[in-house]
Amino acid sequence: PPPTPPPPPSPHPPHPNCSSPQCDALWGPGGCPDLYSIPADLIRPVMTNATPAGGVRARVIAPGFEGTQAYHALYLPSEWSSDPLHTATYPIIVEYMGNGPWSDGFGDVSTGRPEDSNLGWGMADPAGTKYIWISMPFLTSDLGPKTEISTYWWGCPTVTANANCGAAYNITPTVSYLHAALQQAVASYKGDPSRVVITGWSRGAIATGAIGLYNDATTALFKAFIPYSHLDGDCGWVDQDNRSALEARWARLGGRPVLYLGECAVATEGGPAWLASLGLNGSAATQHMEFMTTGFANHNDAWVLRNSTARGYMRAWLARVLA
């Protein structure tokens, strides 16, 4: 038979490997590699306008937001059934996307739109089973019927809030949408309100605290947290100069389980360093917090679409904490 042709050249330069004790332990002295050097074994399903059903990722609008431009992507596990005799309920993954449009020149990109998020798809084994997966939107400030998805940060009267909007800032639409979408998932799609995890990449990782721990009522929604590549307050947007608000959010964590993942040593070294700067290392609030490298060099949530030590651990960790 003719020889297998070589793969086409990558359209972007290879990402530099990164070396850290954890990366070197996984991969040897070369450290964590470019994720594009590892073939994907999962393909995230595309959001469609179909009616929600088992194995379908559908475009859905949370109650109360029908007159706006807001929506989320709802995936129901393949074993889900609308049959009233099918009484099983399902844990819920709430995911927030990174900022966009964004790219780094190495093929890592983000649109900032909920339907392009990947983390939730890699959390079940096998993919597409066990969990309801909600790719949640960030929203602009309240613009009435013009309220829409913010692809860059959130809460300002523009979809790309790349500058502080001062007194115009309003987080209420984003938080209200979260509550409404979760209530809908429980009431209409057999979600289990006692087993909800919040996750996110980059901006979305910051949001696991900035939104997920926003107030007591919101904090109570979540049993566990999986931020990927950032923690609340370590850069960016919300309450950047309001230390008391930041400390109040972290206090609300209250010892809930957290698995902080990051490329290279972002989580394994950066996470403890950030907590130390807040005086939280070893605190009651963070006593059940773990730190792990994804095993890749990229700032890119597509790492979950590849077989890896981190993906396997994350799946087992999530199953355990939501049991």
Side-chain angles (χ1 to χ4, degrees), residues 249-267:
R249 290 197 299 273
W250 275 101
R252 291 188 193 106
L253 181 61
R256 288 175 174 81
V258 180
L259 177 61
Y260 179 30
L261 293 146
E263 67 272 15
C264 303
V266 165

PDB file of all heavy atoms in Angstrom, residues 249-267:
ATOM      1  N   ARG A 249     -16.251  37.634  48.840  1.00  0.00           N
ATOM      2  CA  ARG A 249     -16.569  36.543  47.919  1.00  0.00           C
ATOM      3  C   ARG A 249     -15.774  35.287  48.278  1.00  0.00           C
ATOM      4  O   ARG A 249     -16.327  34.183  48.321  1.00  0.00           O
ATOM      5  CB  ARG A 249     -16.294  36.960  46.467  1.00  0.00           C
ATOM      6  CG  ARG A 249     -17.263  38.006  45.933  1.00  0.00           C
ATOM      7  CD  ARG A 249     -17.223  38.087  44.421  1.00  0.00           C
ATOM      8  NE  ARG A 249     -15.927  38.468  43.884  1.00  0.00           N
ATOM      9  CZ  ARG A 249     -15.521  39.721  43.707  1.00  0.00           C
ATOM     10  NH1 ARG A 249     -16.308  40.737  44.055  1.00  0.00           N
ATOM     11  NH2 ARG A 249     -14.333  39.984  43.193  1.00  0.00           N
ATOM     12  N   TRP A 250     -14.494  35.441  48.501  1.00  0.00           N
ATOM     13  CA  TRP A 250     -13.683  34.274  48.849  1.00  0.00           C
ATOM     14  C   TRP A 250     -14.171  33.637  50.145  1.00  0.00           C
ATOM     15  O   TRP A 250     -14.164  32.413  50.293  1.00  0.00           O
ATOM     16  CB  TRP A 250     -12.207  34.663  48.946  1.00  0.00           C
ATOM     17  CG  TRP A 250     -11.519  34.642  47.615  1.00  0.00           C
ATOM     18  CD1 TRP A 250     -11.223  35.705  46.822  1.00  0.00           C
ATOM     19  CD2 TRP A 250     -11.051  33.486  46.919  1.00  0.00           C
ATOM     20  NE1 TRP A 250     -10.596  35.291  45.662  1.00  0.00           N
ATOM     21  CE2 TRP A 250     -10.478  33.932  45.707  1.00  0.00           C
ATOM     22  CE3 TRP A 250     -11.053  32.126  47.197  1.00  0.00           C
ATOM     23  CZ2 TRP A 250      -9.920  33.062  44.775  1.00  0.00           C
ATOM     24  CZ3 TRP A 250     -10.489  31.245  46.271  1.00  0.00           C
ATOM     25  CH2 TRP A 250      -9.936  31.715  45.076  1.00  0.00           C
ATOM     26  N   ALA A 251     -14.594  34.449  51.108  1.00  0.00           N
ATOM     27  CA  ALA A 251     -15.101  33.892  52.367  1.00  0.00           C
ATOM     28  C   ALA A 251     -16.340  33.040  52.122  1.00  0.00           C
ATOM     29  O   ALA A 251     -16.568  32.032  52.813  1.00  0.00           O
ATOM     30  CB  ALA A 251     -15.411  35.025  53.352  1.00  0.00           C
ATOM     31  N   ARG A 252     -17.164  33.427  51.144  1.00  0.00           N
ATOM     32  CA  ARG A 252     -18.383  32.656  50.852  1.00  0.00           C
ATOM     33  C   ARG A 252     -18.067  31.259  50.326  1.00  0.00           C
ATOM     34  O   ARG A 252     -18.927  30.373  50.352  1.00  0.00           O
ATOM     35  CB  ARG A 252     -19.253  33.404  49.836  1.00  0.00           C
ATOM     36  CG  ARG A 252     -19.891  34.674  50.388  1.00  0.00           C
ATOM     37  CD  ARG A 252     -20.888  35.276  49.400  1.00  0.00           C
ATOM     38  NE  ARG A 252     -21.239  36.619  49.817  1.00  0.00           N
ATOM     39  CZ  ARG A 252     -20.818  37.734  49.224  1.00  0.00           C
ATOM     40  NH1 ARG A 252     -20.037  37.666  48.140  1.00  0.00           N
ATOM     41  NH2 ARG A 252     -21.174  38.911  49.680  1.00  0.00           N
ATOM     42  N   LEU A 253     -16.868  31.070  49.809  1.00  0.00           N
ATOM     43  CA  LEU A 253     -16.509  29.743  49.309  1.00  0.00           C
ATOM     44  C   LEU A 253     -16.728  28.695  50.394  1.00  0.00           C
ATOM     45  O   LEU A 253     -17.196  27.583  50.114  1.00  0.00           O
ATOM     46  CB  LEU A 253     -15.056  29.731  48.832  1.00  0.00           C
ATOM     47  CG  LEU A 253     -14.541  28.427  48.250  1.00  0.00           C
ATOM     48  CD1 LEU A 253     -15.340  28.010  47.023  1.00  0.00           C
ATOM     49  CD2 LEU A 253     -13.054  28.568  47.894  1.00  0.00           C
ATOM     50  N   GLY A 254     -16.390  29.025  51.611  1.00  0.00           N
ATOM     51  CA  GLY A 254     -16.771  28.217  52.762  1.00  0.00           C
ATOM     52  C   GLY A 254     -16.279  26.783  52.757  1.00  0.00           C
ATOM     53  O   GLY A 254     -16.964  25.898  53.271  1.00  0.00           O
ATOM     54  N   GLY A 255     -15.122  26.534  52.171  1.00  0.00           N
ATOM     55  CA  GLY A 255     -14.587  25.180  52.179  1.00  0.00           C
ATOM     56  C   GLY A 255     -15.157  24.260  51.122  1.00  0.00           C
ATOM     57  O   GLY A 255     -14.894  23.050  51.143  1.00  0.00           O
ATOM     58  N   ARG A 256     -15.952  24.786  50.192  1.00  0.00           N
ATOM     59  CA  ARG A 256     -16.469  23.937  49.108  1.00  0.00           C
ATOM     60  C   ARG A 256     -15.302  23.413  48.260  1.00  0.00           C
ATOM     61  O   ARG A 256     -14.270  24.066  48.141  1.00  0.00           O
ATOM     62  CB  ARG A 256     -17.424  24.734  48.220  1.00  0.00           C
ATOM     63  CG  ARG A 256     -18.777  25.043  48.856  1.00  0.00           C
ATOM     64  CD  ARG A 256     -19.584  25.940  47.934  1.00  0.00           C
ATOM     65  NE  ARG A 256     -20.940  26.183  48.401  1.00  0.00           N
ATOM     66  CZ  ARG A 256     -21.274  27.079  49.318  1.00  0.00           C
ATOM     67  NH1 ARG A 256     -20.329  27.824  49.884  1.00  0.00           N
ATOM     68  NH2 ARG A 256     -22.534  27.242  49.682  1.00  0.00           N
ATOM     69  N   PRO A 257     -15.483  22.252  47.630  1.00  0.00           N
ATOM     70  CA  PRO A 257     -14.405  21.686  46.813  1.00  0.00           C
ATOM     71  C   PRO A 257     -14.101  22.572  45.595  1.00  0.00           C
ATOM     72  O   PRO A 257     -15.020  23.037  44.909  1.00  0.00           O
ATOM     73  CB  PRO A 257     -14.953  20.326  46.374  1.00  0.00           C
ATOM     74  CG  PRO A 257     -16.079  20.032  47.303  1.00  0.00           C
ATOM     75  CD  PRO A 257     -16.646  21.347  47.722  1.00  0.00           C
ATOM     76  N   VAL A 258     -12.811  22.771  45.338  1.00  0.00           N
ATOM     77  CA  VAL A 258     -12.344  23.523  44.171  1.00  0.00           C
ATOM     78  C   VAL A 258     -11.208  22.749  43.527  1.00  0.00           C
ATOM     79  O   VAL A 258     -10.263  22.341  44.215  1.00  0.00           O
ATOM     80  CB  VAL A 258     -11.836  24.927  44.554  1.00  0.00           C
ATOM     81  CG1 VAL A 258     -11.346  25.679  43.301  1.00  0.00           C
ATOM     82  CG2 VAL A 258     -12.907  25.734  45.271  1.00  0.00           C
ATOM     83  N   LEU A 259     -11.282  22.544  42.229  1.00  0.00           N
ATOM     84  CA  LEU A 259     -10.168  22.010  41.454  1.00  0.00           C
ATOM     85  C   LEU A 259      -9.715  23.111  40.507  1.00  0.00           C
ATOM     86  O   LEU A 259     -10.418  23.448  39.556  1.00  0.00           O
ATOM     87  CB  LEU A 259     -10.587  20.766  40.666  1.00  0.00           C
ATOM     88  CG  LEU A 259      -9.509  20.166  39.755  1.00  0.00           C
ATOM     89  CD1 LEU A 259      -8.288  19.718  40.568  1.00  0.00           C
ATOM     90  CD2 LEU A 259     -10.072  18.986  38.954  1.00  0.00           C
ATOM     91  N   TYR A 260      -8.560  23.720  40.808  1.00  0.00           N
ATOM     92  CA  TYR A 260      -8.049  24.799  39.972  1.00  0.00           C
ATOM     93  C   TYR A 260      -7.037  24.228  38.994  1.00  0.00           C
ATOM     94  O   TYR A 260      -5.988  23.708  39.383  1.00  0.00           O
ATOM     95  CB  TYR A 260      -7.409  25.882  40.844  1.00  0.00           C
ATOM     96  CG  TYR A 260      -6.824  27.049  40.046  1.00  0.00           C
ATOM     97  CD1 TYR A 260      -7.378  27.432  38.825  1.00  0.00           C
ATOM     98  CD2 TYR A 260      -5.732  27.769  40.524  1.00  0.00           C
ATOM     99  CE1 TYR A 260      -6.849  28.482  38.101  1.00  0.00           C
ATOM    100  CE2 TYR A 260      -5.209  28.836  39.809  1.00  0.00           C
ATOM    101  CZ  TYR A 260      -5.762  29.185  38.593  1.00  0.00           C
ATOM    102  OH  TYR A 260      -5.236  30.230  37.869  1.00  0.00           O
ATOM    103  N   LEU A 261      -7.354  24.328  37.717  1.00  0.00           N
ATOM    104  CA  LEU A 261      -6.513  23.833  36.632  1.00  0.00           C
ATOM    105  C   LEU A 261      -5.929  25.002  35.857  1.00  0.00           C
ATOM    106  O   LEU A 261      -6.551  26.063  35.747  1.00  0.00           O
ATOM    107  CB  LEU A 261      -7.338  22.961  35.690  1.00  0.00           C
ATOM    108  CG  LEU A 261      -7.851  21.639  36.270  1.00  0.00           C
ATOM    109  CD1 LEU A 261      -9.209  21.294  35.700  1.00  0.00           C
ATOM    110  CD2 LEU A 261      -6.860  20.518  35.989  1.00  0.00           C
ATOM    111  N   GLY A 262      -4.731  24.804  35.314  1.00  0.00           N
ATOM    112  CA  GLY A 262      -4.133  25.849  34.486  1.00  0.00           C
ATOM    113  C   GLY A 262      -3.036  25.283  33.615  1.00  0.00           C
ATOM    114  O   GLY A 262      -2.445  24.242  33.929  1.00  0.00           O
ATOM    115  N   GLU A 263      -2.785  25.952  32.502  1.00  0.00           N
ATOM    116  CA  GLU A 263      -1.684  25.555  31.651  1.00  0.00           C
ATOM    117  C   GLU A 263      -0.355  25.751  32.394  1.00  0.00           C
ATOM    118  O   GLU A 263      -0.246  26.577  33.303  1.00  0.00           O
ATOM    119  CB  GLU A 263      -1.688  26.342  30.337  1.00  0.00           C
ATOM    120  CG  GLU A 263      -1.407  27.821  30.468  1.00  0.00           C
ATOM    121  CD  GLU A 263      -2.652  28.651  30.723  1.00  0.00           C
ATOM    122  OE1 GLU A 263      -3.705  28.082  31.082  1.00  0.00           O
ATOM    123  OE2 GLU A 263      -2.558  29.887  30.583  1.00  0.00           O
ATOM    124  N   CYS A 264       0.642  24.977  32.006  1.00  0.00           N
ATOM    125  CA  CYS A 264       1.995  25.098  32.597  1.00  0.00           C
ATOM    126  C   CYS A 264       1.886  25.085  34.119  1.00  0.00           C
ATOM    127  O   CYS A 264       1.331  24.165  34.693  1.00  0.00           O
ATOM    128  CB  CYS A 264       2.675  26.366  32.086  1.00  0.00           C
ATOM    129  SG  CYS A 264       2.794  26.463  30.291  1.00  0.00           S
ATOM    130  N   ALA A 265       2.389  26.139  34.759  1.00  0.00           N
ATOM    131  CA  ALA A 265       2.342  26.224  36.221  1.00  0.00           C
ATOM    132  C   ALA A 265       1.391  27.320  36.691  1.00  0.00           C
ATOM    133  O   ALA A 265       1.494  27.787  37.827  1.00  0.00           O
ATOM    134  CB  ALA A 265       3.754  26.472  36.760  1.00  0.00           C
ATOM    135  N   VAL A 266       0.467  27.732  35.810  1.00  0.00           N
ATOM    136  CA  VAL A 266      -0.465  28.809  36.164  1.00  0.00           C
ATOM    137  C   VAL A 266      -1.237  28.481  37.432  1.00  0.00           C
ATOM    138  O   VAL A 266      -1.401  29.327  38.323  1.00  0.00           O
ATOM    139  CB  VAL A 266      -1.426  29.091  34.986  1.00  0.00           C
ATOM    140  CG1 VAL A 266      -2.617  29.916  35.431  1.00  0.00           C
ATOM    141  CG2 VAL A 266      -0.684  29.799  33.858  1.00  0.00           C
ATOM    142  N   ALA A 267      -1.716  27.246  37.544  1.00  0.00           N
ATOM    143  CA  ALA A 267      -2.491  26.853  38.722  1.00  0.00           C
ATOM    144  C   ALA A 267      -1.596  26.353  39.848  1.00  0.00           C
ATOM    145  O   ALA A 267      -1.774  26.723  41.012  1.00  0.00           O
ATOM    146  CB  ALA A 267      -3.510  25.782  38.349  1.00  0.00           C
TER     147      ALA A 267
END
